[in-house]
Amino acid sequence: MTGLSEHRRALALATALIVIALGLALRFYGLGLGLPVFLVKYGGSILWATMVYMLLAALLPLMSFRQIGGLALAVAVIVEASRLVHTPWLDSFRLTLAGALLLGRIFSLWNIVAYAIGILIGIAIDRIAMRSPRPNSTAKDAANL
């Protein structure tokens, strides 16, 4: 793996962890802070999709922004569509905190819109991060980004 892909992997993982923390904070404290329900609900979906993009960027650092974005959107749509499938074990899992956070409970086309926004945010963060020089890089390395 090249230094550039290792750099991308590290930045993507760090960003994913930050996004997870923001998403959990929004989920657990957003309403208590007086944030609108709309912002808490769809903000969580946006952050979830940004996390998916960043985890995929960390796992597949040699793929292009578009490829990762397309894959993240496919994952998001599949997860959203899975909400239309009801089996006892799956519905039981969805009632747990982990199930609600990972899969959600109710199908909504608006969630797919929120996911697309989150993925676009992930792409923007990834592109900006990959333009910034790596620690211990030379001016020549920075010019090649």
Side-chain angles (χ1 to χ4, degrees):
M1 186 145 328
T2 68
L4 190 58
S5 61
E6 290 171 9
H7 175 68
R8 185 182 197 191
R9 174 172 282 154
L11 286 173
L13 279 174
T15 303
L17 290 174
I18 291 167
V19 169
I20 289 168
L22 290 172
L24 291 173
L26 183 63
R27 167 90 178 187
F28 294 120
Y29 304 111
L31 295 175
L33 292 172
L35 296 175
V37 173
F38 179 86
L39 179 64
V40 173
K41 177 174 179 14
Y42 293 107
S45 295
I46 288 169
L47 290 168
W48 182 87
T50 304
M51 175 207 63
V52 169
Y53 177 91
M54 288 301 166
L55 291 176
L56 289 171
L59 289 171
L60 306 163
L62 299 176
M63 289 180 78
S64 72
F65 304 115
R66 281 186 183 178
Q67 289 171 320
I68 295 170
L71 186 56
L73 187 59
V75 167
V77 169
I78 289 168
V79 168
E80 190 67 26
S82 77
R83 295 175 188 172
L84 297 171
V85 176
H86 296 281
T87 62
W89 68 269
L90 190 54
D91 287 341
S92 292
F93 178 64
R94 285 186 183 118
L95 293 176
T96 67
L97 178 61
L101 292 173
L102 294 172
L103 299 179
R105 294 186 179 135
I106 300 168
F107 176 83
S108 169
L109 289 175
W110 289 111
N111 279 339
I112 295 173
V113 173
Y115 297 150
I117 292 167
I119 290 164
L120 289 173
I121 291 169
I123 290 170
I125 292 168
D126 195 14
R127 290 178 65 102
I128 291 166
M130 292 311 296
R131 286 186 189 146
S132 65
R134 296 182 310 255
N136 303 323
S137 67
T138 64
K140 182 180 173 186
D141 289 338
N144 289 332
L145 293 177

Coordinates of all heavy atoms in Angstrom, one line a residue, residues 70-121:
G70 N -20.5 5.9 -4.9 CA -21.5 5.0 -5.4 C -21.8 3.7 -4.6 O -22.9 3.3 -4.4
L71 N -20.7 3.2 -4.1 CA -20.8 2.0 -3.2 C -21.5 2.4 -1.9 O -22.4 1.7 -1.4 CB -19.4 1.5 -2.9 CG -19.3 0.2 -2.1 CD1 -20.1 -1.0 -2.8 CD2 -17.8 -0.3 -2.0
A72 N -21.2 3.6 -1.3 CA -21.8 4.0 -0.1 C -23.3 4.2 -0.3 O -24.1 3.9 0.5 CB -21.2 5.3 0.4
L73 N -23.7 4.8 -1.5 CA -25.1 5.0 -1.8 C -25.8 3.7 -1.9 O -26.9 3.5 -1.4 CB -25.2 5.8 -3.0 CG -26.7 6.3 -3.3 CD1 -27.3 7.0 -2.2 CD2 -26.7 7.1 -4.6
A74 N -25.1 2.7 -2.5 CA -25.7 1.4 -2.7 C -26.0 0.7 -1.3 O -27.0 0.2 -1.0 CB -24.8 0.5 -3.5
V75 N -25.0 0.8 -0.4 CA -25.1 0.3 0.9 C -26.3 1.0 1.6 O -27.2 0.3 2.2 CB -23.8 0.5 1.8 CG1 -24.1 0.2 3.2 CG2 -22.7 -0.4 1.2
A76 N -26.4 2.3 1.5 CA -27.4 3.1 2.2 C -28.8 2.7 1.7 O -29.7 2.5 2.4 CB -27.2 4.6 2.0
V77 N -28.9 2.5 0.3 CA -30.2 2.2 -0.2 C -30.6 0.7 0.2 O -31.8 0.5 0.5 CB -30.2 2.3 -1.8 CG1 -31.4 1.7 -2.4 CG2 -30.1 3.8 -2.1
I78 N -29.6 -0.2 0.2 CA -29.9 -1.5 0.6 C -30.4 -1.6 2.1 O -31.3 -2.3 2.4 CB -28.7 -2.5 0.4 CG1 -28.5 -2.7 -1.1 CG2 -28.8 -3.8 1.1 CD1 -27.2 -3.3 -1.5
V79 N -29.7 -0.8 2.9 CA -30.1 -0.8 4.3 C -31.5 -0.2 4.5 O -32.3 -0.7 5.2 CB -29.0 0.0 5.2 CG1 -29.6 0.3 6.6 CG2 -27.7 -0.8 5.3
E80 N -31.7 0.9 3.7 CA -33.1 1.5 3.8 C -34.1 0.5 3.3 O -35.2 0.3 3.9 CB -33.1 2.8 3.0 CG -34.4 3.6 3.2 CD -34.5 4.1 4.6 OE1 -33.5 4.4 5.3 OE2 -35.7 4.4 5.0
A81 N -33.8 -0.2 2.2 CA -34.8 -1.1 1.6 C -35.0 -2.3 2.5 O -36.1 -2.9 2.6 CB -34.3 -1.6 0.2
S82 N -34.0 -2.6 3.3 CA -34.1 -3.8 4.3 C -35.2 -3.5 5.3 O -35.7 -4.4 5.9 CB -32.8 -4.1 5.0 OG -32.5 -3.1 6.0
R83 N -35.6 -2.2 5.5 CA -36.6 -1.9 6.4 C -38.0 -2.4 6.0 O -39.0 -2.4 6.7 CB -36.7 -0.4 6.7 CG -35.4 0.1 7.4 CD -35.3 1.5 7.5 NE -34.0 1.9 8.0 CZ -33.6 3.2 8.1 NH1 -34.4 4.2 7.8 NH2 -32.4 3.5 8.5
L84 N -38.1 -2.7 4.7 CA -39.3 -3.2 4.1 C -39.5 -4.7 4.4 O -40.5 -5.3 4.1 CB -39.4 -2.9 2.6 CG -39.4 -1.4 2.3 CD1 -39.3 -1.3 0.7 CD2 -40.7 -0.8 2.8
V85 N -38.4 -5.3 4.8 CA -38.4 -6.8 5.1 C -38.6 -7.0 6.6 O -38.0 -6.4 7.5 CB -37.0 -7.4 4.8 CG1 -36.9 -8.9 5.1 CG2 -36.7 -7.2 3.3
H86 N -39.6 -7.8 6.9 CA -40.0 -8.0 8.3 C -40.0 -9.5 8.6 O -40.7 -10.3 8.0 CB -41.4 -7.5 8.6 CG -41.4 -6.0 8.4 ND1 -40.9 -5.1 9.4 CD2 -41.8 -5.2 7.4 CE1 -41.1 -3.9 9.0 NE2 -41.6 -3.9 7.8
T87 N -39.0 -9.9 9.5 CA -39.0 -11.2 10.0 C -38.9 -11.0 11.5 O -38.4 -10.0 12.0 CB -37.8 -12.0 9.5 OG1 -36.6 -11.3 10.0 CG2 -37.8 -12.1 8.0
P88 N -39.3 -12.0 12.3 CA -39.3 -11.8 13.8 C -37.9 -11.5 14.3 O -37.7 -10.6 15.1 CB -39.7 -13.2 14.3 CG -40.6 -13.7 13.2 CD -40.0 -13.3 11.9
W89 N -36.8 -12.2 13.9 CA -35.5 -11.9 14.4 C -35.0 -10.5 14.0 O -34.4 -9.8 14.7 CB -34.5 -13.0 14.0 CG -34.2 -13.0 12.5 CD1 -34.9 -13.7 11.5 CD2 -33.2 -12.3 11.8 NE1 -34.3 -13.5 10.3 CE2 -33.3 -12.6 10.4 CE3 -32.2 -11.4 12.2 CZ2 -32.4 -12.0 9.5 CZ3 -31.3 -10.8 11.3 CH2 -31.5 -11.2 9.9
L90 N -35.3 -10.1 12.7 CA -34.9 -8.8 12.2 C -35.6 -7.7 13.0 O -35.1 -6.7 13.4 CB -35.1 -8.7 10.7 CG -34.5 -7.5 10.0 CD1 -33.0 -7.4 10.3 CD2 -34.7 -7.7 8.5
D91 N -36.9 -7.8 13.1 CA -37.7 -6.8 13.8 C -37.3 -6.7 15.3 O -37.2 -5.7 15.9 CB -39.2 -7.2 13.7 CG -39.8 -6.9 12.4 OD1 -39.1 -6.1 11.6 OD2 -40.9 -7.4 12.0
S92 N -36.9 -7.9 15.9 CA -36.4 -7.9 17.3 C -35.1 -7.1 17.4 O -34.9 -6.3 18.3 CB -36.2 -9.3 17.8 OG -37.5 -9.9 17.9
F93 N -34.2 -7.3 16.4 CA -32.9 -6.6 16.4 C -33.2 -5.1 16.2 O -32.5 -4.3 16.8 CB -32.0 -7.2 15.3 CG -30.7 -6.4 15.2 CD1 -29.8 -6.5 16.2 CD2 -30.4 -5.7 14.0 CE1 -28.6 -5.8 16.1 CE2 -29.2 -5.0 13.9 CZ -28.3 -5.1 15.0
R94 N -34.1 -4.7 15.3 CA -34.4 -3.3 15.1 C -34.9 -2.6 16.3 O -34.7 -1.4 16.5 CB -35.4 -3.2 14.0 CG -34.9 -3.4 12.6 CD -36.0 -3.1 11.6 NE -35.5 -3.4 10.2 CZ -36.1 -4.3 9.4 NH1 -37.1 -4.9 9.8 NH2 -35.6 -4.5 8.2
L95 N -35.4 -3.3 17.3 CA -35.9 -2.7 18.5 C -34.8 -2.5 19.5 O -35.0 -1.8 20.5 CB -37.0 -3.6 19.2 CG -38.3 -3.7 18.4 CD1 -39.3 -4.7 19.0 CD2 -39.0 -2.3 18.2
T96 N -33.6 -3.0 19.3 CA -32.5 -2.8 20.1 C -31.8 -1.5 19.7 O -32.0 -1.0 18.6 CB -31.4 -3.9 20.1 OG1 -30.8 -3.9 18.7 CG2 -32.0 -5.3 20.4
L97 N -31.0 -0.9 20.6 CA -30.3 0.3 20.3 C -29.4 0.1 19.1 O -29.3 0.9 18.2 CB -29.5 0.8 21.5 CG -28.7 2.1 21.3 CD1 -29.6 3.3 20.9 CD2 -27.9 2.4 22.5
A98 N -28.6 -1.0 19.1 CA -27.7 -1.3 18.0 C -28.5 -1.4 16.7 O -28.1 -0.9 15.6 CB -26.9 -2.5 18.2
G99 N -29.6 -2.1 16.7 CA -30.4 -2.3 15.5 C -31.0 -1.0 15.0 O -31.0 -0.7 13.8
A100 N -31.4 -0.1 15.9 CA -32.0 1.2 15.5 C -30.9 2.1 14.9 O -31.1 2.8 13.9 CB -32.6 1.9 16.7
L101 N -29.7 2.0 15.5 CA -28.6 2.9 15.0 C -28.1 2.3 13.7 O -27.7 3.1 12.8 CB -27.5 2.9 16.0 CG -27.8 3.7 17.3 CD1 -26.6 3.5 18.3 CD2 -28.0 5.1 17.0
L102 N -28.0 1.0 13.5 CA -27.4 0.5 12.3 C -28.4 0.3 11.2 O -28.0 0.6 10.0 CB -26.7 -0.9 12.6 CG -25.5 -0.9 13.5 CD1 -25.1 -2.3 13.9 CD2 -24.4 -0.2 12.9
L103 N -29.6 -0.1 11.5 CA -30.5 -0.4 10.4 C -31.7 0.5 10.4 O -32.4 0.7 9.3 CB -31.1 -1.9 10.5 CG -30.0 -3.0 10.5 CD1 -30.7 -4.3 10.7 CD2 -29.3 -2.9 9.1
G104 N -32.0 1.2 11.5 CA -33.2 2.0 11.5 C -34.5 1.1 11.6 O -34.4 -0.1 11.6
R105 N -35.6 1.8 11.7 CA -36.8 1.0 11.9 C -37.9 1.2 10.8 O -38.6 0.2 10.4 CB -37.5 1.4 13.2 CG -36.6 1.0 14.4 CD -37.3 1.2 15.7 NE -36.4 0.8 16.8 CZ -36.2 1.5 17.9 NH1 -36.7 2.6 18.1 NH2 -35.3 1.0 18.8
I106 N -38.0 2.4 10.3 CA -39.1 2.7 9.3 C -38.5 3.1 8.0 O -37.7 4.0 8.0 CB -40.0 3.8 9.9 CG1 -40.6 3.3 11.2 CG2 -41.1 4.2 9.0 CD1 -41.3 4.3 12.0
F107 N -39.0 2.6 6.9 CA -38.6 3.0 5.6 C -39.1 4.4 5.3 O -40.2 4.8 5.6 CB -39.2 2.0 4.5 CG -38.9 2.4 3.1 CD1 -37.6 2.0 2.6 CD2 -39.7 3.1 2.4 CE1 -37.3 2.4 1.3 CE2 -39.4 3.5 1.1 CZ -38.2 3.1 0.5
S108 N -38.2 5.2 4.7 CA -38.5 6.5 4.2 C -37.6 6.9 3.0 O -36.4 6.8 3.1 CB -38.3 7.5 5.4 OG -38.4 8.8 4.9
L109 N -38.3 7.4 2.0 CA -37.5 7.9 0.9 C -36.7 9.1 1.2 O -35.7 9.4 0.7 CB -38.5 8.2 -0.3 CG -39.1 7.0 -1.0 CD1 -40.1 7.5 -2.1 CD2 -38.0 6.1 -1.6
W110 N -37.2 9.9 2.2 CA -36.5 11.1 2.7 C -35.1 10.7 3.3 O -34.2 11.5 3.3 CB -37.3 11.9 3.7 CG -38.5 12.6 3.0 CD1 -39.8 12.3 3.2 CD2 -38.4 13.6 2.1 NE1 -40.5 13.1 2.4 CE2 -39.7 14.0 1.7 CE3 -37.3 14.3 1.5 CZ2 -40.0 15.0 0.8 CZ3 -37.6 15.3 0.6 CH2 -38.9 15.7 0.2
N111 N -35.1 9.5 3.9 CA -33.8 9.0 4.4 C -32.8 8.9 3.3 O -31.6 9.2 3.5 CB -33.9 7.7 5.2 CG -34.4 7.9 6.6 OD1 -34.3 9.0 7.2 ND2 -35.0 6.9 7.2
I112 N -33.2 8.4 2.1 CA -32.3 8.2 1.0 C -31.8 9.6 0.6 O -30.6 9.7 0.2 CB -33.0 7.4 -0.1 CG1 -33.3 6.0 0.4 CG2 -32.1 7.4 -1.4 CD1 -34.1 5.2 -0.6
V113 N -32.6 10.6 0.6 CA -32.1 12.0 0.3 C -31.1 12.4 1.3 O -30.0 12.9 0.9 CB -33.3 12.9 0.2 CG1 -32.8 14.4 0.1 CG2 -34.3 12.6 -0.9
A114 N -31.4 12.1 2.6 CA -30.4 12.5 3.6 C -29.1 11.7 3.5 O -28.0 12.3 3.6 CB -31.0 12.2 5.0
Y115 N -29.2 10.4 3.1 CA -28.0 9.6 2.9 C -27.2 10.2 1.7 O -25.9 10.3 1.8 CB -28.4 8.2 2.5 CG -29.1 7.5 3.6 CD1 -30.0 6.4 3.3 CD2 -28.9 7.7 5.0 CE1 -30.6 5.7 4.3 CE2 -29.5 7.0 6.0 CZ -30.4 6.0 5.6 OH -31.1 5.3 6.6
A116 N -27.8 10.6 0.6 CA -27.1 11.2 -0.5 C -26.4 12.5 -0.1 O -25.2 12.7 -0.4 CB -28.1 11.5 -1.6
I117 N -27.0 13.3 0.8 CA -26.4 14.5 1.3 C -25.1 14.1 2.1 O -24.1 14.7 2.0 CB -27.4 15.4 2.1 CG1 -28.4 15.9 1.1 CG2 -26.7 16.5 2.9 CD1 -29.6 16.5 1.8
G118 N -25.3 13.1 3.0 CA -24.2 12.7 3.9 C -23.0 12.1 3.0 O -21.9 12.4 3.4
I119 N -23.4 11.4 2.0 CA -22.3 10.9 1.1 C -21.6 12.0 0.4 O -20.3 12.0 0.3 CB -22.9 9.8 0.2 CG1 -23.3 8.6 1.0 CG2 -21.9 9.5 -0.9 CD1 -24.2 7.6 0.3
L120 N -22.3 13.0 -0.1 CA -21.7 14.2 -0.7 C -20.8 14.9 0.3 O -19.7 15.4 -0.1 CB -22.7 15.1 -1.3 CG -23.5 14.6 -2.5 CD1 -24.6 15.5 -2.9 CD2 -22.5 14.4 -3.7
I121 N -21.2 15.0 1.5 CA -20.4 15.6 2.6 C -19.1 14.7 2.8 O -18.0 15.3 2.9 CB -21.1 15.8 3.9 CG1 -22.2 16.8 3.7 CG2 -20.2 16.1 5.1 CD1 -23.2 16.9 4.8

